Amino acid sequence: MTRLAQTAGLTDVQQEILKTVREFVDKEIIPVATELEHRDEYPQQIVDGLKELGLFGLMIPEEYGGLGESLLTYALCVEEIARGWMSVSGIINTHFIVAYMLKQHGTQEQKDHFLPRMALGEVRGAFSMSEPGLGSDVSAITSKAVKDGDEYVLNGQKMWLTNGGTSTLVAVLCRSDEGHPEGTAPHKSMTTFLVEKEPGFGEVRPGLTIPGKIDKMGYKGVDTTELIMDGLRIPANRVLGGQTGRGFYQMMDGVEVGRVNVAARGCGVAQRAFELGVSYAQQRNTFGKPIAQHQAIQFKLAEMATKVEAAHAMMVNAARKKDSGERNDLEAGMAKYLASEYCKEVVEDAFRIHGGYGFSKEYEIERLYREAPMLLIGEGTAEIQKMIIGRRLLEEYRLQG
Ligand SMILES: Cc1cc2nc3c(=O)[nH]c(=O)nc-3n(C[C@H](O)[C@H](O)[C@H](O)COP(=O)(O)OP(=O)(O)OC[C@H]3O[C@@H](n4cnc5c(N)ncnc54)[C@H](O)[C@@H]3O)c2cc1C
């Protein structure tokens, strides 16, 4: 079932990569995803397979041992993986964002130190902005870093770290007043720290505790955690880019490519929901014929497929714009907003097509129904996307004179 979500103009290499990933998803992910998800089990075997395919280094430059591929290739792979199981795409997403931030903003020493091992999946990345009291309003961050000789001492509590337990490198955003006197704009007094740690839970490094997994309604398998810093000492050479006060911009840059990634996940989950819906509709009979032959159900399928196509086109457009070196915040915001809303709607329609069986844990759509809402929240809620889109539109369409 590959009629939908085609992408024109791909190179032979891109097509080959996508074919390999699609086969991996069909063979290694889809058959086990729902069972693992119900047990909230980390998909170690799948992660090992992704490592072998080189997916942890997909966008890391070749000079550091990665495949040096574009954002478009990455997003199309994410779409395929999310079609199999959204949680697996979550495992590579934070890694990809941290590698991207290092590539764009890291010092040469930081790139040499981390990127080759990140390309192999030996070092695994997570990023941490959110706190118990804030998510959308990043400028309100309270976690604090204070300079002490050649080190910084970090204190504070972070919330909602995807891959918080399994990662070994966390990009942590803190307020750092050094060199930024009182009264400095909040976004100019933030710094990203590259925090290395052991995987696992409990005290994973002196002064750093990962308490345990947060119990979630969906998006299971991948670990989401808190992070507590209590006198955590980080050497000054682990300030991303070697300069304090740049953290807010670095994180926003990371989240911007992350938005294309979330859009791609929405596309993948919506595609799978459509596949499940169109298949079930041809098997279930009511009033003497398959429900697919009732016009009301055909209309649903038509709407679902149209949404899958529209979301895919916007996601591809946003990725291509970034790859061309242009600013893509407007396109990424629109793609993320539309793909996550459409994903929720397509999943709900597939759920309705399943009738009562959609409510049974035996059917895959039950899992998708619990997964889709996460996309409305992660990497900025719908309201935040609309704020970004609205501001950019007013810049572009400012009245003259
Ligand atoms: C499963 C999961 C994984 C996550 N992973 C990570 C991660 O790896 N790293 C990380 O740093 N964070 C992560 N997050 C956090 C996520 O980014 C935040 O939850 C998200 O940004 C929303 O923040 P909040 O939950 O504090 O909601 P709030 O900011 O409190 O918002 C609550 C509601 O108010 C609305 N709202 C807020 N401000 C405005 C406004 N100005 N105008 C209109 N409406 C507004 C929001 O849209 C929302 O509907 C994760 C979250 C989840 C659920």
Side-chain angles (χ1 to χ4, degrees):
M1 290 191 219
T2 52
R3 170 67 181 81
L4 296 180
Q6 300 291 311
T7 314
L10 295 182
T11 64
D12 290 347
V13 174
Q14 286 175 315
Q15 287 179 24
E16 192 53 40
I17 293 174
L18 285 171
K19 184 168 164 280
T20 309
V21 173
R22 189 172 305 139
E23 282 169 7
F24 181 82
V25 168
D26 285 336
K27 270 201 211 124
E28 309 291 337
I29 301 186
I30 290 181
V32 296
T34 299
E35 215 181 304
L36 289 176
E37 201 266 356
H38 287 165
R39 292 205 299 267
D40 198 4
E41 187 174 318
Y42 190 76
Q44 189 56 53
Q45 209 173 323
I46 295 173
V47 170
D48 292 342
L50 295 178
K51 265 191 210 170
E52 255 172 58
L53 292 179
L55 283 187
F56 284 97
L58 195 59
M59 262 189 88
I60 294 177
E62 283 171 310
E63 57 188 297
Y64 299 106
L67 297 177
E69 271 297 327
S70 62
L71 180 59
L72 177 63
T73 313
Y74 180 79
L76 293 174
C77 287
V78 165
E79 183 180 38
E80 293 293 344
I81 293 170
R83 182 184 147 261
W85 184 12
M86 196 181 95
S87 295
V88 177
S89 63
I91 289 171
I92 51 173
N93 178 42
T94 63
H95 179 85
F96 149 76
I97 290 180
V98 177
Y100 173 83
M101 284 166 62
L102 269 162
K103 177 174 78 121
Q104 296 297 109
H105 306 287
T107 64
Q108 193 57 50
E109 185 275 330
Q110 289 167 351
K111 291 182 203 183
D112 293 339
H113 183 74
F114 290 113
L115 289 178
R117 287 179 300 140
M118 290 188 87
L120 295 172
E122 286 172 10
V123 169
R124 299 265 302 283
F127 77 96
S128 177
M129 293 192 291
S130 305
E131 297 184 355
L134 64 101
S136 308
D137 186 7
V138 177
S139 65
I141 275 179
T142 59
S143 292
K144 213 166 161 42
V146 176
K147 186 105 194 264
D148 181 20
D150 284 344
E151 294 180 321
Y152 286 85
V153 182
L154 275 51
N155 283 289
Q157 187 176 350
K158 293 289 186 180
M159 186 70 189
W160 296 119
L161 262 89
T162 302
N163 299 306
T166 39
S167 57
T168 52
L169 172 65
V170 187
V172 181
L173 190 62
C174 286
R175 191 166 297 291
S176 57
D177 291 339
E178 169 236 2
H180 313 288
E182 202 132 312
T184 305
H187 54 278
K188 289 189 175 155
S189 60
M190 287 192 204
T191 298
T192 309
F193 290 90
L194 300 167
V195 177
E196 291 173 86
K197 70 172 186 66
E198 290 297 315
F201 300 98
E203 195 171 23
V204 288
R205 168 181 178 155
L208 179 66
T209 302
I210 306 287
K213 288 200 306 189
I214 298 170
D215 198 10
K216 298 165 294 190
M217 70 180 261
Y219 199 40
K220 289 171 183 274
V222 56
D223 49 297
T224 308
T225 72
E226 294 173 52
L227 175 150
I228 297 164
M229 299 174 288
D230 183 11
L232 171 65
R233 302 189 81 87
I234 301 295
N237 67 1
R238 289 295 168 259
V239 167
L240 179 62
Q243 199 189 339
T244 60
R246 303 282 311 147
F248 184 83
Y249 302 103
Q250 293 162 345
M251 283 280 177
M252 290 305 129
D253 190 22
V255 168
E256 197 171 294
V257 289
R259 283 188 182 133
V260 177
N261 178 297
V262 174
R265 284 201 243 176
C267 293
V269 174
Q271 270 173 50
R272 184 66 186 156
F274 174 77
E275 288 171 13
L276 296 172
V278 77
S279 162
Y280 187 85
Q282 293 170 79
Q283 294 168 52
R284 180 72 172 174
N285 289 307
T286 68
F287 303 94
K289 55 184 174 185
I291 58 171
Q293 297 305 324
H294 298 303
Q295 196 178 47
I297 298 294
Q298 261 180 39
F299 277 12
K300 254 193 214 315
L301 293 170
E303 286 165 15
M304 290 158 73
T306 306
K307 288 173 182 173
V308 166
E309 284 295 86
H312 178 82
M314 287 195 77
M315 179 273 287
V316 167
N317 180 46
R320 284 199 157 128
K321 187 119 194 199
K322 186 78 179 177
D323 285 335
S324 72
E326 287 177 76
R327 182 175 172 183
N328 84 334
D329 52 349
L330 179 67
E331 290 75 13
M334 285 178 167
K336 196 271 169 182
Y337 167 54
L338 187 101
S340 56
E341 296 289 333
Y342 275 3
C343 174
K344 182 200 65 168
E345 291 169 17
V346 172
V347 167
E348 173 152 355
D349 276 345
F351 170 81
R352 286 173 192 252
I353 286 173
H354 280 73
Y357 291 98
F359 218 64
S360 161
K361 280 188 172 280
E362 273 183 41
Y363 284 76
E364 199 178 325
I365 192 65
E366 178 271 343
R367 170 169 64 78
L368 271 54
Y369 195 83
R370 288 182 290 102
E371 287 175 340
M374 152 62 189
L375 299 171
L376 303 169
I377 308 290
E379 247 74 278
T381 63
E383 287 72 27
I384 297 302
Q385 304 311 316
K386 285 190 253 185
M387 280 163 62
I388 295 168
I389 296 166
R391 275 190 208 134
R392 283 287 285 123
L393 289 174
L394 288 173
E395 268 177 45
E396 298 277 342
Y397 288 84
R398 181 168 294 136
L399 286 182
Q400 304 295 324

